[in-house]
Amino acid sequence: MGRKDKGNILEIMKNDFKSAFSNPIVTIILIAIIILPSLYALLNIYACWDPYGNTGDVEFAVANLDNGTSLDNQTINVGNELVKDLKNNTKFKWTFVTEDELRDGVYKGDYYAGIVIPKNLSKNIVSITTDDPQQAKLEYVVNVKANPVAAKLTNTAANTVYTELNAKIVEFINLAAYGKLGELQEGLASGAEQLSGGGVQLQSGAAQVSSGAGQVQDGASQVQDGSKQIKDGSNTIKEKSSEIDKGKETIKENSELIKEKSSELEKGSEEIQSSVDPSLIPDGPVKEYAEGNAKVADGSGQLAEGSSKLADGSVQLAEGSSKISNGSAFLASKSGELADGSVQLAEGSVSLAAGAEMLSNAAAQALFTASAALFSSADALSGITGINETLLGDYFFSPVKLETNEIFSVPDYGSSVSPFYIALSMWVGALITCVMIEPKSSMGTKYSPFEMYTGKLLIYIVMSILQACVTLLGAYILGIHVDNYPLFYFSAILVSVVFMIIIYSVISAVGTVGKGIAVLLLVLQISGTGGIYPIEIMGEFFRYIYPHMPMTYAIALLRESQLGVVWSNYFPALIILLAIGIVFVVVSVIVKDKADKPSKYFEDRLEDSGLF
């Protein structure tokens, strides 16, 4: 670049600054151009400074129809408790109305949304304690048409009611379970006492069994002695029974002999009686002898008849004695067997008594062990069931506490969105500046396209710096959070200058077409740079253009310097933004040199139309 080129460039710059103060109207316009972009950023930041903290004026209708119910002789009305809690909640403007008023108000847009608490809410909640639990339901009525953001906000309100209700249900269920634990604790304690009492009784019974076992053992010895005596007596009876059988045979033989002799005697007696008739014998000694002989014969007959009968009785007696002897022998045999069984029974009783004693002791020990375990469990449960129910309710309301650890904490939402709105305002400021102070074509002048481009660039850079300074002053007054002021100011001014260079270069190179390009880039960068919404939730097209947009890196520089710098994020964004600016300068200079004349022709034709 020669001396002439430098002189022409300086001349252009001098003329621009001279023109800026040659007319008050021009000066006022320039001041307006400087201030206007800052208003765009600051007003948007202020408007959304704390949007979720101002929902207290958003009306949310609630219609409570809950009839309540009873449980354990206590009246429960969850709907009334929910309304009471909401009255103490300042997140929204809760308006309590009838069901008809709610539905009509939401339909007309008087309320953005509302919740209807049904009649059976409490009844369904309490049903959890029965065999037929019913799900509790709420009806959320929302007018989506009224306002898209309001609909999202009222979703938050509905979730608030939903969370409150679920918390109460969980609290109710857990307290009910807690009550059951109390009953279980009492049951365990009672069962432990009963087991302990049973153990004592078993121990006492074991002692009695042990004593009885001793008696049975003593009796077993006596039974053994008696069994031996019975066996000895049985053997004696058997021996005597044999002798009786032999005597029975002898008696039978002698009985037959006696019967024969008695028969002979009876015949002799009959002969004597038939040969002597005392009536034919005269009185005297012979008659007396004859009568004596008759009496003797008669007595002998009686004597023979008695002997015969005696013989028969002796046989019967012998046979009875034999039967008695045989029965006695049989009885003696069975008595011996009974004696042996008695011995075995006695020995078994001793073993049974010993086993019963061991079983009783083991069972008693098991009962004492179980009782101790139950007492331990009851004590453990008593530690739980003894907790204050109010404290327990608070615990069940929020059993897990989420501790938030904010990295690069920001005190307000406005500060969080400041990097996006500041960067956006600087792009808008550069666009307004380049539209209002239109870059000139070199055609019809003594200047070359390069000289015109370079000479006019300074006024735009100065305007961008002033715009950035006004915006930073407003941000300071507004009170946005800044972690590193020097770095933030440097980054903001740099972003403003780079944006101005980009837009100036495009418009300077291709004129009105460049304005369209700058506007198109503005539109794309609003959604395609992740300034407000994460780029991951945007459409595929915006995710594609995200790394190619200059505002992506401008927002990164402002965010890092304002909210907490991470140098590994800051330096790459700085390098890429500068590189984009340089590329636009180089390309624009090349394009301007070739397209300056066609661009001038294009501008003239638009002006000739009378519309532009």
Side-chain angles (χ1 to χ4, degrees):
M1 185 172 57
R3 181 179 297 180
K4 181 180 178 181
D5 294 334
K6 292 181 180 179
N8 289 337
I9 293 172
L10 292 175
E11 183 180 352
I12 294 172
M13 292 179 179
K14 181 180 178 180
N15 291 335
D16 284 342
F17 281 98
K18 183 178 179 180
S19 300
F21 299 99
S22 62
N23 190 323
I25 295 178
V26 174
T27 305
I28 293 173
I29 295 298
L30 291 176
I31 293 173
I33 294 173
I34 293 171
I35 296 175
L36 187 61
S38 66
L39 295 178
Y40 182 85
L42 299 175
L43 290 177
N44 279 285
I45 293 172
Y46 178 74
C48 60
W49 189 260
D50 190 13
Y52 301 105
N54 295 325
T55 58
D57 292 328
V58 177
E59 280 194 302
F60 191 96
V62 177
N64 179 24
L65 311 180
D66 191 8
N67 290 329
T69 187
S70 61
L71 179 66
D72 296 335
N73 298 323
Q74 291 185 351
T75 300
I76 296 176
N77 193 305
V78 179
N80 289 343
E81 294 180 16
L82 189 59
V83 167
K84 181 180 178 181
D85 290 343
L86 291 178
K87 287 181 178 179
N88 296 325
N89 187 306
T90 60
K91 292 182 179 179
F92 289 87
K93 187 177 181 180
W94 307 101
T95 305
F96 302 97
V97 295
T98 65
E99 182 180 6
D100 291 339
E101 290 172 338
L102 183 147
R103 296 186 185 280
D104 186 64
V106 174
Y107 178 79
K108 293 179 179 179
D110 296 335
Y111 311 118
Y112 292 118
I115 277 186
V116 178
I117 301 174
K119 297 178 180 180
N120 58 358
L121 179 67
S122 296
K123 183 178 179 181
N124 287 345
I125 291 175
V126 171
S127 69
I128 191 66
T129 61
T130 68
D131 295 333
D132 185 26
Q134 300 294 320
Q135 188 177 36
K137 296 180 181 179
L138 297 175
E139 183 182 358
Y140 174 48
V141 185
V142 57
N143 188 332
V144 180
K145 180 188 74 173
N147 187 289
V149 176
K152 298 300 181 182
L153 291 177
T154 54
N155 285 344
T156 303
N159 286 331
T160 298
V161 177
Y162 173 77
T163 302
E164 290 275 356
L165 179 60
N166 275 342
K168 286 189 174 297
I169 293 175
V170 171
E171 179 182 353
F172 172 80
I173 294 173
N174 287 331
L175 285 176
Y178 174 73
K180 296 299 181 183
L181 283 178
E183 296 177 6
L184 176 61
Q185 187 269 337
E186 293 176 359
L188 288 176
S190 175
E193 292 179 357
Q194 293 178 5
L195 286 178
S196 179
V200 172
Q201 292 178 359
L202 277 176
Q203 279 191 330
S204 175
Q208 294 177 2
V209 169
S210 177
S211 175
Q215 296 176 2
V216 169
Q217 193 165 11
D218 294 339
S221 299
Q222 296 176 2
V223 168
Q224 286 178 338
D225 294 339
S227 175
K228 183 178 180 182
Q229 295 175 3
I230 288 173
K231 285 183 178 180
D232 293 340
S234 176
N235 293 330
T236 301
I237 289 173
K238 286 181 179 180
E239 292 175 359
K240 298 301 180 183
S241 177
S242 298
E243 294 177 0
I244 289 173
D245 286 338
K246 291 178 181 180
K248 182 184 74 172
E249 298 298 326
T250 302
I251 289 173
K252 283 184 177 182
E253 293 174 358
N254 291 332
S255 175
E256 294 296 326
L257 180 61
I258 290 172
K259 284 183 177 181
E260 291 177 0
K261 297 302 181 181
S262 296
S263 178
E264 293 176 359
L265 180 61
E266 187 175 2
K267 290 179 179 180
S269 176
E270 290 178 351
E271 291 176 356
I272 293 174
Q273 286 181 343
S274 62
S275 61
V276 178
D277 184 5
S279 63
L280 296 179
I281 300 174
D283 296 333
V286 174
K287 186 176 182 177
E288 291 178 356
Y289 177 80
E291 291 175 348
N293 284 333
K295 292 179 179 179
V296 169
D298 183 53
S300 298
Q302 293 178 354
L303 182 59
E305 183 180 357
S307 297
S308 178
K309 292 180 179 179
L310 177 63
D312 290 338
S314 297
V315 171
Q316 292 176 357
L317 177 63
E319 289 178 351
S321 297
S322 178
K323 290 180 179 179
I324 290 173
S325 175
N326 292 332
S328 298
F330 177 78
L331 179 62
S333 175
K334 295 303 179 181
S335 297
E337 294 177 3
L338 177 62
D340 291 338
S342 298
V343 172
Q344 295 177 358
L345 177 63
E347 293 175 349
S349 297
V350 172
S351 300
L352 178 63
E357 182 180 6
M358 292 177 62
L359 179 61
S360 297
N361 288 330
Q365 186 61 39
L367 287 179
F368 285 134
T369 302
S371 175
L374 287 181
F375 271 122
S376 176
S377 298
D379 289 340
L381 282 177
S382 66
I384 298 174
T385 56
I387 300 175
N388 183 281
E389 290 196 8
T390 301
L391 297 177
L392 193 67
D394 293 338
Y395 171 79
F396 286 144
F397 185 85
S398 179
V400 178
K401 182 179 180 181
L402 179 65
E403 293 186 354
T404 303
N405 180 18
E406 292 187 346
I407 301 175
F408 305 118
S409 177
V410 181
D412 48 74
Y413 185 75
S415 296
S416 297
V417 298
S418 292
F420 170 73
Y421 282 115
I422 290 174
L424 185 61
S425 70
M426 291 175 175
W427 187 276
V428 171
L431 181 58
I432 293 174
T433 302
C434 292
V435 170
M436 297 295 293
I437 307 174
E438 188 173 357
K440 300 296 182 180
S441 171
S442 62
M443 298 304 296
T445 68
K446 63 177 182 178
Y447 308 115
S448 67
F450 176 76
E451 291 172 347
M452 183 61 75
Y453 172 84
T454 307
K456 300 289 291 184
L457 180 60
L458 180 60
I459 188 67
Y460 290 96
I461 292 177
V462 172
M463 290 291 291
S464 68
I465 294 173
L466 293 174
Q467 287 173 345
C469 290
V470 172
T471 302
L472 291 173
L473 178 62
Y476 177 80
I477 296 173
L478 195 61
I480 70 168
H481 173 77
V482 177
D483 184 73
N484 189 325
Y485 277 100
L487 187 63
F488 177 61
Y489 292 158
F490 165 77
S491 300
I493 293 172
L494 176 65
V495 167
S496 183
V497 170
V498 172
F499 281 0
M500 185 66 78
I501 291 174
I502 291 173
I503 295 176
Y504 167 77
S505 298
V506 173
I507 296 177
S508 177
V510 292
T512 302
V513 176
K515 297 176 185 177
I517 294 173
V519 172
L520 178 62
L521 288 174
L522 172 64
V523 173
L524 294 176
Q525 291 180 122
I526 290 175
S527 300
T529 55
I532 299 294
Y533 299 104
I535 193 62
E536 290 79 7
I537 70 173
M538 306 306 290
E540 184 177 353
F541 171 74
F542 292 104
R543 291 198 297 270
Y544 173 76
I545 67 172
Y546 170 77
H548 305 96
M549 296 290 102
M551 196 179 293
T552 297
Y553 306 100
I555 292 172
L557 288 179
L558 294 172
R559 182 176 288 143
E560 292 296 323
S561 59
Q562 179 196 343
L563 304 179
V565 62
V566 176
W567 296 109
S568 59
N569 295 335
Y570 184 87
F571 284 122
L574 175 64
I575 294 171
I576 294 174
L577 183 62
L578 291 175
I580 291 175
I582 293 171
V583 169
F584 268 92
V585 169
V586 173
V587 172
S588 296
V589 169
I590 295 173
V591 171
K592 185 174 179 63
D593 187 60
K594 304 295 183 182
D596 206 29
K597 184 176 179 180
S599 177
K600 174 61 175 174
Y601 177 80
F602 186 79
E603 297 293 336
D604 291 341
R605 298 292 74 77
L606 288 176
E607 187 175 351
D608 291 342
S609 68
L611 292 176
F612 300 93

